[in-house]
């Protein structure tokens, strides 16, 4: 065990984690020339195209240092705030972390939040200053920021460039010298932490684990503590570039287990594996079920594809256990699913994967968050509202609570005013403001989650000219004045467009949605009334005028009553048509509501 090192790489988005992982694999000769490629550990097309890591990736490397053979287990983690639970489990499986900071951009919000996660687990932090070869790099200034942040010495920070390979040997040396060897008792009952799982269509779920105590043998019967299920360890092994089966994996090491599990819900990241014959009585702490933050309806464009969409969602859930969905139906869109996502990026990725991997074109409704409603009949019992149509009758509601978050924004001091205005407009309350350096400020706000779901991130980038970074943690539910805004077309409610909105913003948003729909709904043979309503009260109205034929064209001269008679006749026809006609809402209308501020 003294020659094993377990470490992960943590950083903000786009600070060079995956490129550094590539260089470490090259330096330890873990990949052959033929297997080399950029972002080697990111094995999804989507990850390569966008240059982001969506899932954690683990790999084992062998390295000889001063005549001794060492085993290095590396976990490359995602940088985006949506996947922070996955990062926390990866951190729990390690003893050390490489904290990577971009020499041009300096410390940013997720650098700090991931660093706090690592410090909570008492990890040895190795600061690495990446991208020092860039002309815009500011190494001395950024080094001072890192020293202020983690209280290390200047000489502890390793200058590196993952692109050109500068400083890679120094990083490997620091991992061996500074990261402690794993502790654990090989003779104790088995305890292994699951930090990731992937779906293999031929062999079922492969769970990646780190053995904390005891050892695991091939063929042994094991039990997952949190789900209480028992399985046989059909195959265990270590994670090189390709999996290498082993007979035994001992305390301190990282490996994978295949036991023919077909259902993704049975393997939860953060669960503990123990043996059936000599079980451990307690699980490794910190496990929690992943909580979806954003809810949206996903519907097939063609209602006949509903079953196909269900099969696609189930397969996708095997690969991504944080996706939750349940069937629902809508009068406007037919049958579909109510899905829960970790955030807007997660939602975008799921939509893209449905289109690419399963060839499913889908309509996504307005995203919202989950609320708690309390009725006058049962004031103690909370009703969870994931869909605006679940809201009880307003006369029965005692109060509605919405989720709040603590948001951290780091930006340049020039943009403090505009960032504050944006947050206050989104019902945020300034909690704290700290100058990290003379021109970098960290601001903390209390904000409703519903306000950041829409376009907050895009607008933050706009007002700060791309210099602000953003991170958030859910805090609590608070009572709020929320109303349900319904959109009616010819007095028929369109449930897919209804939304729960704060009372102060309801008139404004109702007006904007009506205006947007008037532009997008094509004209018919009859007038279409578009209305926004709160309960029975209409708060905004727009009309799409009918396409009319000039019936008076053949009346030249003559009495006015003749023209009036023809117009009255036309009016009656339009009225009858309106009763039988129904309005098709174009797909762009659902998407346009998401971009109200453009």
């Amino acid at each position: 065990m003294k020659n094993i090192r377990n470490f992960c790489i943590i950083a903000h988005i786009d600070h060079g984690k995956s490129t550094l992982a590539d260089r470490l694999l090259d330096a330890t000769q873990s990949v052959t020339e033929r297997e080399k490629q950029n972002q080697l550990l990111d094995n999804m097309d989507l990850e390569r195209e966008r240059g982001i890591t969506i899932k954690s990736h683990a790999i084992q490397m062998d390295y000889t240092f001063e005549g001794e053979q060492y085993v290095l287990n590396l976990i490359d983690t995602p940088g985006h705030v949506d996947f922070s639970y996955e990062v926390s489990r990866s951190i729990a499986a390690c003893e050390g972390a490489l904290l990577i900071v971009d020499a041009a951009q300096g410390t940013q919000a997720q650098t700090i939040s991931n660093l706090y996660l690592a410090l909570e687990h008492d990890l040895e932090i190795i600061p690495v200053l990446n991208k020092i070869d860039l002309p815009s790099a500011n190494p001395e200034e950024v080094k001072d920021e890192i020293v202020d942040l983690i209280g290390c010495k200047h000489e502890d920070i390793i200058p590196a460039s993952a692109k050109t390979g500068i400083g890679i040997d120094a990083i490997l040396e620091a991992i061996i010298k500074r990261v402690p060897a794993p502790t654990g008792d090989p003779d104790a009952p088995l305890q292994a932490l699951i930090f990731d799982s992937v779906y293999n269509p031929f062999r079922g779920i492969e769970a990646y684990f780190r053995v904390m105590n005891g050892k695991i043998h091939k063929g042994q019967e094991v039990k997952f503590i949190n789900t209480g299920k028992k399985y046989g360890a059909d195959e265990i092994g270590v994670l090189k570039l390709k999996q290498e089966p082993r007979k035994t994996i001992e305390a301190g090491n990282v490996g994978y287990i295949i036991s023919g599990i077909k259902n993704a819900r049975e393997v939860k990241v953060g669960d503990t594996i123990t043996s059936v014959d000599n079980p451990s009585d307690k699980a490794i702490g910190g496990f929690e079920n992943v909580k979806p933050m954003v809810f949206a309806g996903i519907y097939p464009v063609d209602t006949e594809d509903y079953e196909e969409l269900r099969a696609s969602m189930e397969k996708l859930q095997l690969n991504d256990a944080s996706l939750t969905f349940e069937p629902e139906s809508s009068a406007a869109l037919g049958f579909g699913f109510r899905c829960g996502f970790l955030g807007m990026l997660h939602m975008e990725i799921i939509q893209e994967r449905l289109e690419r991997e399963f060839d499913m074109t889908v309509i996504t409704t307005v995203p919202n968050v989950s609320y708690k409603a309390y009725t006058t009949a049962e004031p103690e019992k909370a009703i969870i509202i994931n869909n605006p149509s679940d809201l009880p009758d307003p006369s029965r509601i005692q109060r509605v609570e919405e989720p709040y978050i603590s948001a951290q924004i780091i930006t340049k001091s020039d943009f403090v005013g505009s960032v504050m205005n944006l947050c206050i407009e989104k019902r945020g309350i300034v909690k704290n403001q700290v100058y990290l350096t003379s021109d970098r400020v960290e601001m903390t706000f209390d904000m409703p989650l519903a306000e950041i779901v829409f376009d907050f991130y895009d607008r933050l980038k706009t007002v700060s000219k791309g210099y602000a970074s953003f991170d958030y943690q859910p805090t609590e539910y608070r009572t709020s004045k929320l109303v349900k805004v319904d959109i009616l077309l010819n007095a028929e409610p369109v449930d897919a467009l209804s939304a729960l909105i704060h009372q102060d913003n309801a008139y404004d948003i109702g007006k904007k949605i009506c205006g947007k729909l008037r532009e997008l709904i094509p004209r018919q043979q009859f007038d279409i009334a578009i209305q926004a309503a709160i309960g029975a009260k209409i708060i905004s109205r727009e009309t799409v005028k009918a396409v009319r034929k000039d019936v008076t064209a053949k009346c030249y001269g003559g009495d006015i009553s003749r023209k009036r008679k023809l117009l009255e006749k036309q009016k009656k026809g339009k009225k009858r048509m309106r009763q039988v006609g129904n309005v098709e809402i174009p797909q762009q209308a659902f998407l346009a509501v998401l971009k109200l501020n453009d």
Side-chain angles (χ1 to χ4, degrees):
M1 262 167 67
K2 72 178 178 39
N3 285 10
I4 296 176
R5 298 288 181 272
N6 298 318
F7 68 100
C8 59
I9 302 182
I10 54 177
H12 190 77
I13 312 160
D14 199 28
H15 280 206
K17 294 182 296 297
S18 299
T19 316
L20 186 78
D22 291 348
R23 292 296 82 78
L24 292 173
L25 293 172
D26 292 348
T28 54
Q29 275 122 34
S30 303
V31 286
T32 60
E33 280 297 325
R34 224 178 85 204
E35 292 165 330
K36 272 185 195 174
Q37 56 173 320
N38 288 342
Q39 281 179 268
L40 183 72
L41 295 180
D42 294 348
N43 46 20
M44 228 185 285
D45 293 344
L46 214 57
E47 290 182 311
R48 290 177 192 285
E49 275 172 37
R50 291 180 172 226
I52 56 173
T53 303
I54 294 168
K55 277 191 79 64
S56 296
H57 300 278
I59 191 160
Q60 190 175 86
M61 306 177 283
D62 297 318
Y63 186 60
T64 309
F65 180 71
E66 293 176 351
E68 276 201 67
Q69 192 74 22
Y70 288 88
V71 172
L72 309 179
N73 288 311
L74 154 70
I75 302 173
D76 178 21
T77 62
H80 200 278
V81 60
D82 284 7
F83 310 109
S84 55
Y85 175 62
E86 207 164 303
V87 178
S88 78
R89 295 299 82 207
S90 304
I91 284 173
C94 298
E95 279 81 32
L98 292 181
L99 178 76
I100 296 178
V101 181
D102 186 327
Q105 295 180 50
T107 52
Q108 292 191 299
Q110 282 142 312
T111 316
I112 294 173
S113 68
N114 287 343
L115 171 70
Y116 289 157
L117 276 176
L119 290 173
E120 272 172 37
H121 286 87
D122 294 331
L123 262 61
E124 177 64 39
I125 308 286
I126 301 173
V128 176
L129 189 64
N130 195 18
K131 305 193 186 182
I132 56 165
D133 58 318
L134 289 182
S136 58
N138 221 338
E140 292 314 312
E141 201 177 299
V142 178
K143 271 187 181 178
D144 291 341
E145 282 180 32
I146 298 173
V147 170
D148 291 344
L149 187 65
I150 58 176
C152 62
K153 298 190 185 78
H154 265 91
E155 52 271 23
D156 293 344
I157 301 167
I158 304 169
S161 163
K163 197 172 178 185
T164 56
I166 301 166
I168 299 301
D169 291 336
I171 292 172
L172 286 164
E173 185 180 331
I175 290 165
I176 287 164
K177 287 187 171 170
R178 281 153 65 177
V179 174
T183 55
D185 181 357
D187 303 320
L190 171 67
Q191 263 188 326
L193 171 77
I194 298 176
F195 62 84
D196 197 11
S197 67
V198 292
Y199 176 67
N200 179 329
F202 306 106
R203 313 192 62 182
I205 305 280
E206 300 169 359
Y208 296 169
F209 61 83
R210 148 84 197 271
V211 183
M212 296 297 186
N213 291 309
K215 52 183 82 150
I216 185 166
H217 306 285
K218 185 183 174 179
Q220 179 181 5
E221 199 180 358
V222 295
K223 176 181 164 190
F224 290 11
I225 291 182
N226 284 298
T227 57
K229 301 274 174 94
K230 296 178 183 175
Y231 307 99
D234 301 340
E235 184 183 306
I236 57 169
V238 294
L239 297 151
K240 295 287 178 77
L241 194 58
K242 294 190 172 63
Q243 295 170 339
E244 283 187 11
R246 297 278 161 94
K247 290 272 190 292
T248 307
I249 295 176
E250 298 199 345
N253 216 336
V254 172
Y256 69 92
I257 176 170
I258 299 176
S259 43
I261 305 168
K262 292 286 184 287
N263 186 347
R265 292 190 193 89
E266 293 176 25
V267 180
K268 300 204 166 169
V269 171
D271 203 346
T272 306
I273 304 175
T274 188
S275 59
V276 171
D277 49 359
N278 181 16
S280 164
D281 52 355
K282 72 176 199 299
I284 298 159
F287 171 78
E288 56 183 81
N289 280 322
V290 179
K291 293 184 194 72
M293 287 286 167
V294 173
F295 294 85
I298 287 187
Y299 294 85
V301 171
D302 188 345
T303 40
E304 290 171 4
D305 296 340
Y306 173 70
E307 283 304 326
E308 205 178 316
L309 178 63
R310 179 196 287 276
S312 307
M313 298 283 269
E314 281 168 358
K315 282 181 190 159
L316 203 52
Q317 196 179 38
L318 292 171
N319 263 321
D320 184 351
S322 47
L323 166 70
T324 58
F325 65 91
E326 56 189 48
E328 73 163 2
S329 63
S330 145
L333 298 171
F335 291 104
F337 296 97
R338 187 90 197 146
C339 306
F341 308 97
L342 299 177
M344 289 299 274
L345 176 81
H346 188 215
M347 174 175 143
E348 217 177 295
I349 281 164
I350 293 294
Q351 212 176 327
E352 189 112 349
R353 286 182 70 183
L354 278 172
E355 287 188 10
R356 287 192 181 194
E357 296 171 25
F358 304 102
D359 210 15
M360 293 294 312
T361 319
V362 292
I363 294 175
T364 309
T365 63
V366 183
N368 63 349
V369 298
S370 66
Y371 301 91
K372 286 181 180 173
Y374 295 86
T375 57
T376 45
E378 294 179 273
E380 297 306 310
K381 191 182 172 197
I383 303 167
I384 304 291
I385 311 285
N386 288 337
N387 191 341
S389 58
D390 300 341
L391 194 72
D393 187 303
S395 60
R396 289 175 43 226
I397 294 174
Q398 186 196 40
R399 68 182 192 279
V400 181
E401 293 182 352
E402 66 175 329
Y404 266 69
I405 55 162
S406 169
Q408 277 175 308
I409 295 172
I410 295 177
T411 186
K412 287 196 165 180
S413 49
D414 314 0
F415 306 118
V416 169
S418 48
V419 169
M420 257 188 196
N421 286 343
L422 172 66
C423 292
I424 289 164
E425 181 196 324
K426 296 280 189 184
R427 298 192 283 134
I429 301 159
V430 185
K431 282 288 175 200
N432 197 359
Q433 190 173 335
V434 182
Y435 276 81
L436 301 171
T437 63
S438 57
D439 70 334
R440 287 174 79 79
V441 190
E442 179 187 0
M443 292 184 279
T444 312
F445 293 91
D446 264 2
M447 291 173 76
L449 179 62
E451 294 288 344
I452 68 152
V453 158
F454 267 148
D455 54 352
F456 179 76
Y457 199 52
D458 295 343
R459 285 187 62 195
L460 178 67
K461 287 285 185 216
T462 310
V463 298
S464 65
K465 298 190 179 153
Y467 276 109
S469 62
F470 170 67
D471 183 67
Y472 66 86
Q473 288 87 31
T475 50
E476 60 187 347
Y477 278 80
R478 293 186 197 169
T479 305
S480 191
K481 288 185 198 161
L482 294 166
V483 289
K484 181 182 168 202
V485 175
D486 287 313
I487 302 297
L488 314 172
L489 288 184
N490 283 349
E492 286 292 322
V494 182
D495 54 354
L497 288 174
S498 59
L500 282 174
I501 296 166
H502 192 266
Q503 201 169 338
D504 300 351
N505 305 339
Y507 287 87
D508 193 29
I509 287 180
K511 193 174 173 196
K512 278 184 180 170
I513 294 178
C514 290
K516 207 72 166 188
L517 289 176
R518 195 189 81 188
E519 293 166 24
L520 292 165
I521 291 176
R523 289 170 73 185
Q524 309 281 346
Q525 293 285 335
F526 49 91
D527 282 4
I528 302 168
I530 303 165
Q531 295 166 313
I534 297 173
K537 184 182 177 188
I538 303 295
I539 56 170
S540 174
R541 171 180 171 134
E542 295 280 352
T543 307
V544 177
K545 285 304 210 183
V547 180
R548 297 180 66 141
K549 181 182 173 190
D550 187 359
V551 288
T552 59
K554 58 178 183 272
C555 296
Y556 43 91
D559 189 12
I560 183 74
S561 59
R562 190 150 169 242
K563 289 186 179 178
R564 201 165 282 149
K565 192 173 157 191
L566 286 167
L567 286 168
E568 285 298 322
K569 191 178 169 192
Q570 183 188 36
K571 199 172 167 186
K572 277 183 187 160
K574 296 278 181 205
K575 194 175 175 185
R576 198 166 53 245
M577 210 181 270
R578 183 175 166 180
Q579 285 167 354
V580 296
N582 62 353
V583 186
E584 283 288 315
I585 304 173
Q587 194 178 337
Q588 299 96 310
F590 295 102
L591 304 175
V593 177
L594 305 182
K595 302 186 174 75
L596 277 182
N597 282 338
D598 289 5

